[in-house]
Amino acid sequence: MHDQERRTSVGSLPTPTSDESRVPTVLTRLVWLALAASAVVFGLRLRSGDPWTFGPVAIDGLTAVLWVAIAFLSGIVHSYSRRYMAGSRRVDRFFGRLSAFTLVAMCLVAADHVVLFWAAWLAMGLLMADLIGHVEGWNGARTAASLARRYFLASSASLGVGLVTLRWATGATTVSGIAAAVDAAPTAAVLLAAGAVLLAAMMQSALLPFHTWLLSSMTAPTPASALMHAGFVNAGGILLVRFAPVVTVDPGTMLAITAVGAASALLGKLLKTVQTDVKGRLGCSTVGQMGFMIMQAGLGFFAAAITHLVLHGFYKAYQFLSSGGRVARERPTKHAAGSTGPAGAAVVLGTGLAGGALFAALTGKGTALDGGLLLTLLVTLTVLQAARTVVTDAAVPPTVRYAAVPIVTVPALAVYAVLYRAIEGLLTGLPAVGDPMALPTIHGVLAAAFVVAYLAVETGVYRHSERLYVALVNASRPASDTLLTSPEEYNEY
């Protein structure tokens, strides 16, 4: 049969018989019920001002937003996994870990007591490490799980140091209590706690130089990878938002957060250019996107960081779950990138500037001499990159490319701006979250360096350095014991 005569078909969902487990079906339905309950909580939160406190748990606007996002993404992954994991001997174990991870993540974003928060952080890491090493008898999976577990335990230890320090300095045992008392705490103790919190966020979100565990985690089943890249790595941003009163006490801490975020955003983009496999490129992309998220938090725009992690979660989950469709036998030049050309350059530049102006108009950011200028700059650069990617796609006729870029990009950015304003409104009342940062000279220098490096990447100037290429290949290489050399190494059947 010729390729053009083949029809792509997807098998029906497996129907459990009397001898087969119903665990996947039951847990999948429970997750979708959790989404319905989260939607109800979200609707009620829109009408309420103060957070609802139930013992060690506090439900505020951030909790409501993240509960909906977590339950929705988990529901998609659970439903996808019913077909993907059909026939596996360890399917019940896999679904048990997925559901437990979902429950723990929802607990984390609602936890107010520091012990509950730390326990959820630790449990989330251990469950994800177990999912990374799910395939039984595969040495690579076992090694990747062990490597990830060490990073997650180190992250939990760092967070524990921060929480113990804050408990000693403020006398509070809750996240809200720490926020209320941190201004009166000794500065040295707060700085130590802020550094420990930042280190924990960097390791959990796979920022450089802690990205090796993420690039080595491709041993995980695809649904687990989707949940990892769409949800787990976002924990760093959530941590910084929850402890915003701690990290915003000293401008130097915020500058450090911005710097480490910018470094990972740029280097993640560079690492992606030397990857040859689909999931490797997605992994490096996640490193860069988490850098952008942390950078936004460092600028004081915590609502932008939450908006970024939600939208990136949806996008990255789709990318991983559809990654199998990217594998095809074709000529290498079939979809080669074309040149931008004068007309394409004008479309890209015009779209980027229009996108930045629209974002500034709809959000009010970038209209004053503060950190909003840098946030609008990041949005503009992102729009420029997206527009250039489409314009240089030689598989699409030029007229379609040039017309589609502004028609699609500008409305999409308007939706992003509206979502950002909505999340910003829901986060109103969270301590230190709505305070814009000043724009010191050092931020201007950092922004200029970021733009220069970004343009160097986009124009491909860096490709002239063989030494840089080798350094990037080495930096993006997973742990050697996790590399796949033969399919028989992971065949569990």
Side-chain angles (χ1 to χ4, degrees):
M1 182 183 292
H2 297 292
D3 288 343
Q4 59 269 28
E5 296 176 357
R6 292 177 180 170
R7 293 183 178 179
T8 302
S9 60
V10 178
S12 60
L13 284 172
T15 301
T17 64
S18 57
D19 298 328
E20 295 177 332
S21 173
R22 294 185 177 272
V23 169
T25 303
V26 172
L27 292 181
T28 301
R29 291 174 179 173
L30 287 176
V31 171
W32 285 115
L33 286 175
L35 173 61
S38 299
V40 172
V41 172
F42 181 85
L44 294 175
R45 280 301 312 167
L46 292 177
R47 302 181 178 182
S48 178
D50 298 329
W52 309 329
T53 303
F54 305 95
V57 172
I59 302 175
D60 52 22
L62 177 62
T63 302
V65 169
L66 293 179
W67 270 4
V68 171
I70 292 169
F72 178 77
L73 288 171
S74 182
I76 295 295
V77 171
H78 273 73
S79 297
Y80 181 96
S81 300
R82 288 183 59 195
R83 181 181 291 112
Y84 185 92
M85 299 299 294
S88 172
R89 293 192 301 267
R90 309 180 79 199
V91 62
D92 288 354
R93 178 185 176 89
F94 180 80
F95 272 86
R97 294 299 185 272
L98 278 186
S99 300
F101 178 87
T102 303
L103 179 62
V104 169
M106 296 181 75
C107 180
L108 175 74
V109 300
D112 189 39
H113 199 284
V114 292
V115 174
L116 178 61
F117 190 96
W118 182 84
W121 186 273
L122 173 65
M124 193 168 63
L126 295 178
L127 286 168
M128 182 51 66
D130 195 66
L131 286 170
I132 291 173
H134 171 77
V135 181
E136 188 178 17
W138 182 10
N139 292 332
R142 191 160 51 244
T143 302
S146 177
L147 176 65
R149 191 176 294 110
R150 289 197 296 270
Y151 274 96
F152 301 155
L153 289 175
S155 174
S156 298
S158 181
L159 177 59
V161 170
L163 294 178
V164 169
T165 303
L166 290 171
R167 169 68 177 86
W168 171 81
T170 64
T173 59
T174 61
V175 176
S176 56
I178 290 172
V182 71
D183 289 337
T187 303
V190 175
L191 290 178
L192 173 62
V197 167
L198 174 58
L199 185 61
M202 291 175 64
M203 285 189 278
Q204 204 88 338
S205 291
L207 267 63
L208 274 79
F210 307 111
H211 63 294
T212 306
W213 75 261
L214 185 68
L215 301 185
S216 302
S217 68
M218 301 306 167
T219 59
T222 295
S225 294
L227 196 60
M228 180 197 314
H229 289 256
F232 178 79
V233 293
N234 292 325
I238 297 170
L239 180 63
L240 294 180
V241 173
R242 280 297 183 206
F243 290 91
V246 176
V247 298
T248 56
V249 165
D250 181 64
T253 302
M254 294 297 282
L255 179 61
I257 295 174
T258 305
V260 298
S264 285
L266 289 171
L267 291 176
K269 183 175 178 62
L270 281 170
L271 295 176
K272 180 181 176 181
T273 63
V274 299
Q275 294 297 305
T276 56
D277 63 287
V278 174
K279 289 188 176 181
R281 292 175 64 85
L282 290 175
C284 292
S285 170
T286 296
V287 173
Q289 291 299 323
M290 291 302 98
F292 273 113
M293 177 189 69
I294 298 297
M295 187 178 180
Q296 289 170 337
L299 293 173
F301 294 103
F302 296 98
I306 296 299
T307 306
H308 185 100
L309 69 86
V310 169
L311 293 178
H312 173 262
F314 292 158
Y315 172 76
K316 196 54 64 75
Y318 166 77
Q319 288 289 311
F320 265 97
L321 296 181
S322 63
S323 59
R326 300 282 299 277
V327 180
R329 178 172 297 185
E330 58 187 22
R331 295 179 179 178
T333 58
K334 183 175 181 180
H335 297 298
S339 60
T340 305
V347 171
V348 170
L349 181 61
T351 303
L353 295 177
L358 181 62
F359 177 80
L362 292 177
T363 63
K365 311 302 179 186
T367 58
L369 192 61
D370 56 19
L373 284 174
L374 297 187
L375 179 62
T376 303
L377 175 63
L378 290 177
V379 171
T380 303
L381 291 176
T382 302
V383 175
L384 284 172
Q385 178 187 358
R388 184 175 179 273
T389 301
V390 176
V391 166
T392 56
D393 187 356
V396 182
T399 53
V400 176
R401 283 180 273 150
Y402 298 161
V405 166
I407 291 176
V408 174
T409 303
V410 175
L413 190 61
V415 173
Y416 167 75
V418 171
L419 180 61
Y420 168 71
R421 289 300 300 269
I423 291 180
E424 187 179 37
L426 285 168
L427 299 188
T428 300
L430 267 67
V433 166
D435 302 331
M437 298 295 294
L439 189 64
T441 304
I442 189 64
H443 272 175
V445 174
L446 180 62
F450 184 84
V451 171
V452 170
Y454 190 90
L455 292 177
V457 174
E458 284 296 308
T459 56
V461 173
Y462 71 95
R463 291 192 178 96
H464 298 296
S465 173
E466 295 181 0
R467 183 172 297 178
L468 176 61
Y469 174 82
V470 173
L472 292 174
V473 170
N474 291 333
S476 62
R477 184 179 175 85
S480 58
D481 291 339
T482 66
L483 294 175
L484 176 65
T485 57
S486 171
E488 287 74 17
E489 294 181 6
Y490 67 96
N491 187 357
E492 61 173 322
Y493 303 110

